[in-house]
């Protein structure tokens, strides 16, 4: 069988920027990579904080080493920039600061591209299996000549693994990122591959992340993975941690659409860290891919999961609210390890549920998401939760609502306040974001709201206003 795609696995057990630079440079030479034109580096900085979220992002030393190598290999570059859109509502300025990136930008004289501050432009999609005819991406992504993908190696509670394909979720701003971020998340990831193909991929697998994507448990994997084809790189990544590539749905979809292989026999795996040796090391690597009704069995949080409105996934929504609940609880666990005991009794209901909920006395209910429907009685009073889920065809990606941090926070807190005395609340959204889950859990479960952690709230708000000011400036610059 012809092996068209080469993937390298190299040993690297420390975040030493010089060592990383040497390894990445060697990898680029082996793969014959010569970046040119407008070069854009896309790390994974979904969230970052040295104390609260230390393992969720591509480390600054990795970025530092990668830039050194890229500069050495680049041929007549017009510019080298680093761009990202962090997790929903989080200003990328804030996460870059927390990740320690500004000093790297200064050292290498490269510019940051904060995708949340840029004009979003439509890109046409043509693949016959596409969800929609166009997607919106930041201008700098649309006009880049050479994209370098720098993902973090992490398990993912919604998609099993996040490697190079999944890292593309961060090329969209909030307004467009939440479109199809539900039962269609995996299809959305496959769609985004059509926007731009990476010229080079280097995965930060030095300290990998287990279980969660925002609060992963660190795993000393001690590797850097490199390649040029995202499907090939992700397939090798799957084998490194004993996952069948066909179980990673976005990888399967991308491979079926012709973006690359998912059969290890078609990939030429090289480097100084043999796959067998990696596998031996990762035997205990942990995932968290469990339905929430089974996952939250003990404590005061219990879940009722119904059925879902799309034929391809009628019994669970992997890309939306359930995973966001898991992430929110794990964020809470960083502050209150026994949070599920500390909450007041809460029932979390998602999907279309038939029949009584059999609530305990005083147990409060969060009906989560636009697809949730339920009809019954609570405290002898009729309750009718009406669904408002819309299929992708009914959602116009050009007319999406703002997911502005302050606006969303205010709307959610107001809703919580209005329902503070009731037995239930309907959290709307498709999906309901992780930070909104934190708001709802704190209001309904009567626990402190960790969204307002003192270490984060002031710098986050400062970054938010900087982001707004720069967004406005960028708009004015374009107009005049
Ligand atoms: S409302 Fe939530 S659970 Fe329902 S389809 Fe949308 S994202 Fe999934």
């Amino acid at each position: 069988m012809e092996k068209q795609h080469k993937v390298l696995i190299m040993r690297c057990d420390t975040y030493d920027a010089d060592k990383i630079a040497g390894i990445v440079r060697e990898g680029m030479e082996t793969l014959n990579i010569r970046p040119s034109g407008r070069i854009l580096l896309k790390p994974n900085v979904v969230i970052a904080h040295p104390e609260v979220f230390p393992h969720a992002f591509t480390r600054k030393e990795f970025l530092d080493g990668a830039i050194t190598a890229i500069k050495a290999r680049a041929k007549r570059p017009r510019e080298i920039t680093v761009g990202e859109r962090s997790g929903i509502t989080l200003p990328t300025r804030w996460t870059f600061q927390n990740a320690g990136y500004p000093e790297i930008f200064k050292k290498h004289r490269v510019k940051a591209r904060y995708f949340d501050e840029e004009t979003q432009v439509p890109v046409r999609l043509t693949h016959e299996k596409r969800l929609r005819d166009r997607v919106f991406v930041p201008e700098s992504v649309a006009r880049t000549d050479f994209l370098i993908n720098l993902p973090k190696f992490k398990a993912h509670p919604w998609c099993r693994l996040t490697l190079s394909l999944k890292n593309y979720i961060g090329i969209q701003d909030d307004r467009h990122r939440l479109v199809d971020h539900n039962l269609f998340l995996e299809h959305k990831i496959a769609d985004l591959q059509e926007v731009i193909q990476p010229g080079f991929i280097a995965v930060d697998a030095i300290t990998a992340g287990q279980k969660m994507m925002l609060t992963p448990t660190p795993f000393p994997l001690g590797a850097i993975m490199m390649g040029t084809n995202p499907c090939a790189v992700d397939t090798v990544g799957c084998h490194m941690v004993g996952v069948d590539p066909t179980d990673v749905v976005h990888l399967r979809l991308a491979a079926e659409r012709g973006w690359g292989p998912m059969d290890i026999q078609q990939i030429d795996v090289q480097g100084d860290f043999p796959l067998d040796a990696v596998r031996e090391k990762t035997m205990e690597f942990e995932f968290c891919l469990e339905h929430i009704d089974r996952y939250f069995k003990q404590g005061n949080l219990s879940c009722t999961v119904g059925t879902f409105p799309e034929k391809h996934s009628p019994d669970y929504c992997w890309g939306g609210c359930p995973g966001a609940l898991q992430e929110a609880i794990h964020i809470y666990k960083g502050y209150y390890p026994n949070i599920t005991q500390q909450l007041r009794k809460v029932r979390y209901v998602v999907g279309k549920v038939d029949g009584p909920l059999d609530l305990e006395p005083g147990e409060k209910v969060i009906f989560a998401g636009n697809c949730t429907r339920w009809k019954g009685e609570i405290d002898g009073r009729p309750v009718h939760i009406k669904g408002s889920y819309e299929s992708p065809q009914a959602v116009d990606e050009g007319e999406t609502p703002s997911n502005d941090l302050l606006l969303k926070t205010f709307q959610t807190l107001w809703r919580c306040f209005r329902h503070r005395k009731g037995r239930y609340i309907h959290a709307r959204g498709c999906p309901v974001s992780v930070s909104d889950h934190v708001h709802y859990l704190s209001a309904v479960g009567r626990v402190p709201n960790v969204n307002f952690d003192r270490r984060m709230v002031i710098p986050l708000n400062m970054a938010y206003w900087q982001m707004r000011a720069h967004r406005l400036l960028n708009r004015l610059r374009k107009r005049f």
Side-chain angles (χ1 to χ4, degrees):
M1 191 179 287
E2 197 189 350
K3 297 188 179 199
Q4 278 184 351
H5 301 285
K6 203 177 273 180
V7 174
L8 312 175
I9 314 174
M10 305 297 290
R11 290 182 193 269
C12 183
D13 51 14
T14 58
Y15 280 103
D16 176 329
D18 292 338
K19 187 174 179 184
I20 294 165
I23 292 171
V24 175
R25 184 174 174 166
E26 201 187 319
M28 293 179 86
E29 283 166 6
T30 307
L31 297 165
N32 201 19
I33 307 291
R34 283 258 181 226
S36 60
R38 290 194 183 94
I39 303 166
L40 174 64
L41 280 61
K42 163 66 179 83
N44 181 345
V45 196
V46 60
I47 200 165
H49 191 281
E51 294 163 45
V52 189
F53 304 103
H55 303 294
F57 57 95
T58 306
R59 284 272 295 262
K60 69 173 181 182
E61 300 86 346
F62 193 86
L63 180 69
D64 187 352
I67 296 175
T68 303
I70 289 157
K71 277 180 147 179
R73 291 287 301 168
K75 201 175 162 193
R76 288 193 294 278
R78 254 179 96 175
E79 63 174 27
I80 300 178
T81 58
V82 179
E84 167 69 312
R85 174 57 187 121
S86 298
I88 303 299
T89 71
L90 301 174
T92 306
R93 274 179 189 273
W94 178 72
T95 57
F96 273 13
Q97 188 74 41
N98 291 341
Y101 281 13
E103 66 182 85
I104 309 300
F105 299 153
K106 207 169 158 192
K107 174 180 168 186
H108 290 284
R109 296 190 181 167
V110 300
K111 263 188 164 178
R113 296 277 183 217
Y114 304 108
F115 294 163
D116 37 343
E117 295 171 10
E118 290 188 15
T119 306
Q120 309 298 311
V121 296
V123 173
R124 290 249 145 244
L125 302 184
T126 57
H127 196 277
E128 58 174 328
K129 296 271 175 68
R130 68 192 180 279
L131 277 180
R132 45 190 74 249
D133 293 337
R134 59 178 187 168
V135 291
F136 284 82
V137 298
E139 210 165 26
S140 60
V141 171
R143 69 190 178 113
T144 199
D145 300 310
F146 201 101
L147 184 92
I148 296 182
N149 196 349
L150 302 175
K152 177 82 171 173
F153 196 117
K154 286 189 291 180
H156 197 286
W158 309 351
C159 300
R160 206 175 291 264
L161 270 174
T162 167
L163 297 168
S164 67
L165 294 163
K166 172 74 175 60
N167 199 26
Y168 269 34
I169 283 292
I171 63 169
Q172 284 198 298
D173 74 330
D174 281 2
R175 194 178 272 272
H176 304 100
R177 184 185 184 129
L178 282 188
V179 174
D180 307 321
H181 200 307
N182 46 32
L183 293 151
F184 287 95
L185 175 61
E186 308 272 12
H187 304 74
K188 178 185 177 79
I189 296 166
D191 270 9
L192 288 173
Q193 307 309 311
E194 203 179 327
V195 172
I196 184 168
Q197 288 291 290
F200 177 58
I201 303 160
V203 186
D204 173 2
I206 298 171
T207 300
Q210 304 174 96
K211 297 184 185 173
M212 295 288 126
M213 59 136 175
L214 299 181
T215 53
T217 313
F219 185 92
L221 187 45
I224 294 176
M225 237 206 312
M226 288 172 280
T228 53
N229 182 281
C231 291
V233 167
D234 286 16
T235 297
V236 173
C238 286
H239 282 275
M240 285 169 72
V241 287
V243 168
D244 180 345
T246 59
D247 287 341
V248 178
V249 180
H250 58 261
L251 170 55
R252 180 162 49 76
L253 295 176
E256 283 168 4
R257 292 182 189 191
W259 296 120
M262 63 170 174
D263 179 352
I264 196 75
Q265 301 303 328
Q266 290 177 279
I267 303 166
D268 183 6
V269 185
Q270 295 187 8
D272 64 1
F273 203 171
L275 206 39
D276 288 346
V278 178
R279 192 63 200 108
E280 208 169 297
K281 193 171 182 179
T282 62
M283 293 311 274
E284 306 296 323
F285 191 89
E286 290 184 285
F287 294 89
C288 171
L289 206 71
E290 249 184 281
H291 286 204
I292 51 171
D293 45 346
R294 285 171 227 148
Y295 192 68
F296 297 112
K297 266 191 174 157
Q298 287 159 354
N300 290 333
L301 174 66
S302 61
C303 302
T304 302
V305 177
T307 55
F308 295 85
E310 296 291 347
K311 275 191 207 133
H312 69 273
S313 188
D315 41 354
Y316 204 65
C317 175
W318 282 109
C321 305
L325 172 73
Q326 281 172 314
E327 289 285 357
I329 289 290
H330 277 265
I331 289 173
Y332 258 112
K333 281 188 172 173
Y335 296 83
Y336 308 105
N338 297 320
I339 185 64
T340 49
Q341 270 82 28
Q342 283 170 266
L343 286 167
R344 289 199 181 173
K345 278 256 170 216
V346 176
R347 177 74 63 85
Y348 183 91
V349 179
V350 65
K352 178 180 176 291
V353 173
D354 297 314
L357 294 175
D358 297 327
L359 299 173
E360 290 185 24
E363 187 174 15
K364 295 225 179 187
V365 188
I366 300 173
F367 292 102
N370 292 350
C371 74
T372 293
R373 288 186 277 161
W374 184 75
K375 205 172 178 181
E377 284 191 354
I378 296 180
D379 289 342
R381 294 200 188 127
V383 175
H384 189 183
I385 302 296
K386 292 179 185 160
S388 56
Y389 170 81
E390 290 180 308
S391 63
Q393 296 73 32
V395 176
D396 181 349
E397 66 283 346
E399 298 293 329
T400 48
S402 164
N403 284 308
D404 178 77
L405 170 74
L406 287 193
L407 186 68
K408 272 196 80 136
T409 302
F410 178 76
Q411 284 171 339
T412 307
L413 291 179
W414 178 241
R415 184 182 285 271
C416 291
F417 180 75
R418 275 181 36 227
H419 292 84
R420 67 194 180 283
K421 291 189 179 149
R423 278 290 292 279
Y424 69 92
I425 191 166
H426 187 183
R428 293 191 184 277
C430 182
V432 178
S433 70
V434 175
S435 73
D436 273 354
H437 271 86
V438 170
H439 288 310
Y440 285 115
L441 285 165
S442 77
V444 175
R446 298 278 164 88
V447 285
N449 191 331
V450 295
N451 277 328
F452 302 128
D453 176 88
R454 67 181 162 74
R455 289 167 292 182
M456 295 195 279
V457 74
I458 293 173
L460 183 94
N461 275 283
M462 280 167 59
Y464 168 81
W465 287 111
Q466 283 178 332
M467 178 267 286
R468 294 299 302 246
H470 280 90
R471 195 187 285 174
L472 181 67
L473 273 176
N474 286 342
R475 271 190 204 149
L476 291 174
R477 249 186 237 132
K478 282 192 87 86
R479 194 165 290 180
F480 301 108

